[in-house]
């Protein structure tokens, strides 16, 4: 699918973005392992999240989905209740599904095969496989288990003490989930704080654990698993990663003012707001509250003049998924924006250091790749270009936002991938555009 985007006048209005992807995946996983019926609201009805649902259905968990696909009833089978799937589990494009599922599968006394699409088959799995093997799981796959398809023979896990080699919430979460099935006290040491939705989910479901500084401990009181936990209802906030496209659009398009309601404001995810504020953005937060253990609130954005800054160190895991759209903002900032310590970008849905820099250069921006990030020189009047998403949803959406301020039409190829995280992105954006009905956006071919 192709999207064409033309320069736009200011964006005005009030919007809501769909539910948070990370929390949606976890809500299904924890619900499936609980003892009874859970209700999930504002679930993200995206391809990735339904991959997680299908994996659990394949292991005998009943999931009812509402007609608008945003509410789920998940009938948990308990910690010992999953059944051996008859076929290979397929995660599509979803890194969160495969990595967190590996943690759960490692604890199951049966054999599973798990795989995904071409992008998933290129993404490193050793970071999860290594510690799970240390816990006792037998996992095989290409290049000593680094790449899917993977075969897991689990059960009989023992607790380990493990320092994560990279700050990765996916690895941390896989180990916390495996720890539910391991004898003893599993200790996970994080080099830098990463998103803490799994810890919050443990809290919400009343599963005991401790977190002191950067050490997480999960203790299983019985031989091979915790005694089980009760179901819970989960109300998911809007996804700040999805909101980021509109936050940046509202900042860089002249004469804009947007209110985005009910966005997740978990401090491990709000690096984008801190960085944009440090660059000079006019962003105000209101209506803050916490539901289901996750903070949320409304974000108001107005057109702002930006200056370049250096982004690196501890903040990187707090904004790792937002770097493509931060790069678009950086093209409009006065001076240099330097992104450091972001080597992880190279193993996302695409090699994002290279996809971002190639995209920016095609639009006429000054961008230079570095081994662990990039340097962007602004401000620059972007020109329209033909952009290939390389199957990466966040690249496709970032290019669409760039198209709104480019001199001429932007054509984005291969935009099917947007539905992995943000179904309805094009409709939401075209609804926001002021110059109706000549839909500048959403001219899909
Ligand atoms: C996620 C963690 C991050 C992030 C991904 C979702 C999660 O990946 O990039 O989109 O839900 O735990 P890493 O943990 O690999 O950094």
């Amino acid at each position: 699918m192709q999207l064409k985007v033309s320069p736009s006048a200011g964006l005005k209005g009030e919007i809501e973005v769909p539910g948070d992807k990370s929390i949606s995946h976890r809500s299904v996983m924890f619900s499936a392992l609980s003892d009874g019926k859970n209700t999930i609201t504002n679930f993200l009805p995206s391809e990735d999240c339904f991959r997680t649902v299908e994996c659990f259905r394949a292991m005998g968990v009943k999931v009812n989905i509402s007609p608008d696909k945003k509410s789920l009833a998940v009938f948990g089978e308990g910690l010992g209740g999953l059944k051996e799937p008859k076929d290979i589990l397929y995660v599509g494009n979803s890194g969160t599904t495969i990595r967190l599922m590996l943690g759960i599968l490692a604890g199951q006394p049966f054999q599973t095969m798990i795989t995904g699409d071409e992008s998933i088959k290129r993404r490193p799995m050793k970071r999860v496989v290594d510690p799970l093997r240390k816990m006792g799981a037998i996992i095989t796959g290409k290049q000593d288990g680094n790449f899917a398809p993977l075969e897991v023979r689990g059960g009989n896990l023992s607790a380990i003490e493990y320092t994560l080699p990279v700050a990765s919430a996916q690895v941390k979460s896989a180990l916390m989930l495996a720890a539910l099935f391991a004898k003893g006290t599993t200790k996970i040491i994080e080099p830098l704080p990463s998103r803490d939705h799994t810890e919050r989910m443990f809290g919400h479901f009343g599963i005991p654990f401790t977190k002191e500084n950067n050490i997480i401990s999960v203790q299983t009181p019985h031989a091979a698993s915790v005694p089980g936990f009760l179901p819970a209802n989960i109300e998911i906030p809007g996804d700040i990663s999805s909101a980021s496209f509109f936050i940046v659009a509202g900042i860089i398009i002249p004469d804009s003012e947007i209110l985005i309601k009910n966005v997740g404001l978990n401090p491990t995810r709000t690096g984008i707001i801190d960085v944009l504020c440090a660059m000079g953005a006019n962003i105000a937060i209101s209506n803050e509250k916490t539901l289901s253990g996750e903070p949320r609130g409304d974000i108001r954005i107005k057109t702002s003049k930006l200056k370049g800054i250096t982004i690196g160190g501890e903040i990187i895991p707090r904004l790792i998924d937002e770097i493509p759209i931060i790069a678009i903002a950086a093209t409009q900032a006065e001076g240099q924006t330097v992104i450091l310590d972001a080597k992880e970008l190279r193993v996302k849905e695409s090699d994002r250091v290279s996809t971002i820099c190639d995209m920016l250069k095609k639009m006429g921006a000054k961008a230079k790749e570095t081994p662990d990030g990039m340097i962007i020189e602004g401000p620059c009047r972007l020109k329209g270009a033909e952009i290939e998403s390389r199957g990466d949803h966040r690249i496709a959406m970032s290019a669409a936002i760039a198209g709104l301020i480019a001199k001429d039409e932007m054509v984005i190829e291969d935009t099917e991938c947007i539905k992995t995280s943000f179904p309805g992105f094009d409709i939401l954006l075209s609804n926001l555009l002021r110059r109706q009905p000549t839909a500048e956006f959403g001219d899909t071919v």
Side-chain angles (χ1 to χ4, degrees):
M1 199 169 84
Q2 185 188 64
L3 285 180
K4 290 181 181 173
V5 185
S6 299
S8 154
L11 300 180
K12 304 257 182 202
E14 221 178 89
I15 57 167
E16 274 196 48
V17 291
D20 186 277
K21 181 149 82 77
S22 292
I23 304 174
S24 292
H25 285 299
R26 287 159 173 82
S27 68
V28 174
M29 293 176 179
F30 281 81
S31 296
L33 297 174
S34 75
D35 288 313
K37 182 184 171 187
N38 306 259
T39 306
I40 303 170
T41 43
N42 202 30
F43 182 76
L44 171 64
S46 79
E47 197 174 89
D48 275 13
C49 294
F50 287 123
R51 299 288 184 201
T52 295
V53 169
E54 289 311 320
C55 285
F56 282 100
R57 280 181 166 165
M59 291 189 287
V61 177
K62 184 176 160 202
V63 181
N64 291 345
I65 302 173
S66 66
D68 69 0
K69 299 187 176 170
K70 292 184 196 166
S71 299
L72 263 50
V74 180
F75 298 83
E77 290 287 336
L79 277 173
L82 298 182
K83 297 189 183 57
E84 184 171 278
K86 291 194 177 71
D87 211 335
I88 300 169
L89 299 179
Y90 184 73
V91 306
N93 192 246
S94 179
T96 306
T97 307
I98 193 164
R99 296 210 177 104
L100 271 61
M101 284 304 301
L102 283 169
I104 294 171
L105 297 176
Q108 308 310 311
F110 51 70
Q111 186 247 14
T112 357
M113 296 279 287
I114 189 161
T115 194
D117 67 7
E118 289 311 309
S119 154
I120 278 293
K121 286 185 203 153
R122 287 193 300 268
R123 298 183 67 184
M125 296 297 145
K126 270 301 261 305
R127 51 182 64 193
V128 191
V129 167
D130 278 346
L132 292 175
R133 280 178 177 160
K134 284 190 180 26
M135 293 174 90
I138 299 164
I139 306 177
T140 50
K142 292 226 176 77
Q143 292 192 23
D144 190 28
N146 197 23
F147 298 106
L150 295 165
E151 183 194 42
V152 185
R153 265 176 275 165
N156 243 333
L157 300 186
S158 308
I160 55 165
E161 196 172 308
Y162 192 72
T163 302
L164 301 182
V166 280
S168 162
Q170 292 180 349
V171 181
K172 168 178 69 177
S173 303
L175 299 185
M176 288 181 75
L177 286 161
L180 296 176
F181 305 93
K183 187 177 169 190
T185 303
T186 302
K187 280 199 173 160
I188 304 154
I189 301 141
E190 280 199 284
L192 285 178
S194 62
R195 64 189 68 191
D196 67 358
H197 304 301
T198 303
E199 293 92 309
R200 287 172 186 264
M201 215 41 99
F202 264 63
H204 187 59
F205 277 87
I207 309 168
F209 80 108
T210 62
K211 186 169 184 176
E212 274 157 32
N213 302 318
N214 58 339
I215 305 175
I216 296 163
S217 303
V218 182
Q219 190 174 9
T220 59
H222 296 306
S225 80
V226 294
F229 55 91
L230 292 174
N233 295 332
I234 304 162
E235 165 72 39
I236 299 174
D239 195 325
I240 189 164
S241 298
S242 300
S244 298
F245 300 105
F246 293 96
I247 295 175
V248 169
I251 291 169
I252 63 177
I253 300 171
D255 193 27
S256 296
E257 180 167 355
I258 308 173
L259 179 70
I260 314 178
K261 299 190 85 173
N262 188 35
V263 182
L265 292 172
N266 179 318
T268 61
R269 296 283 300 282
T270 49
I272 171 92
I273 293 179
D274 297 349
V275 154
L276 290 171
C277 287
M279 292 172 85
N282 185 338
I283 301 178
I285 309 274
S286 61
N287 213 4
E288 286 180 77
K289 57 178 180 246
T290 296
L291 288 175
S292 307
E294 289 283 353
R296 57 201 74 202
D298 300 342
I299 305 179
R300 183 178 294 281
I301 313 104
K302 289 186 190 161
T303 307
S304 320
K305 204 167 157 8
L306 300 179
K307 59 178 192 301
I309 59 165
T310 295
I311 306 165
E314 289 228 0
I315 201 162
I316 293 295
R318 293 179 56 226
L319 48 68
I320 189 75
D321 290 343
E322 287 66 72
I323 292 177
I325 192 65
I326 289 174
I328 301 295
T331 66
Q332 303 309 300
E334 188 75 46
Q336 226 177 40
T337 296
V338 182
I339 299 171
L340 304 166
D341 306 319
K343 212 167 77 201
E344 274 297 296
L345 286 179
R346 294 207 179 264
V347 289
K348 293 293 177 190
E349 285 82 333
S350 67
D351 173 347
R352 284 188 180 154
V353 173
S354 120
T355 33
I356 294 169
C357 290
D358 289 354
M359 163 175 79
L360 295 185
K361 283 182 208 154
K362 278 192 157 181
M363 295 171 187
K366 280 194 198 147
K368 194 172 134 225
E369 269 192 45
T370 61
D372 67 345
M374 64 200 74
I375 301 169
I376 298 161
E377 193 82 47
C380 163
R381 180 83 168 95
L382 298 178
K383 57 178 201 245
E386 197 168 301
I387 301 296
E388 165 56 49
S389 77
R390 299 194 200 160
D392 187 330
H393 53 132
R394 299 203 195 279
I395 297 298
M397 289 186 276
S398 299
I401 299 300
L404 298 172
I405 52 158
K407 275 202 279 264
D408 28 42
E409 189 179 70
M410 192 82 77
V411 179
I412 307 138
E413 301 286 354
D414 193 9
T415 56
E416 271 287 293
C417 51
I418 292 176
K419 68 177 189 291
T420 62
S421 72
F422 199 157
F425 168 77
D426 52 350
I427 297 165
L428 195 52
L429 186 52
S430 51
N431 285 346
L432 249 189
L433 291 170
R434 277 203 300 175
R435 276 182 287 137
Q436 304 282 358
T438 35
E440 295 89 345
F441 186 82
D443 183 10
T444 39
V445 186

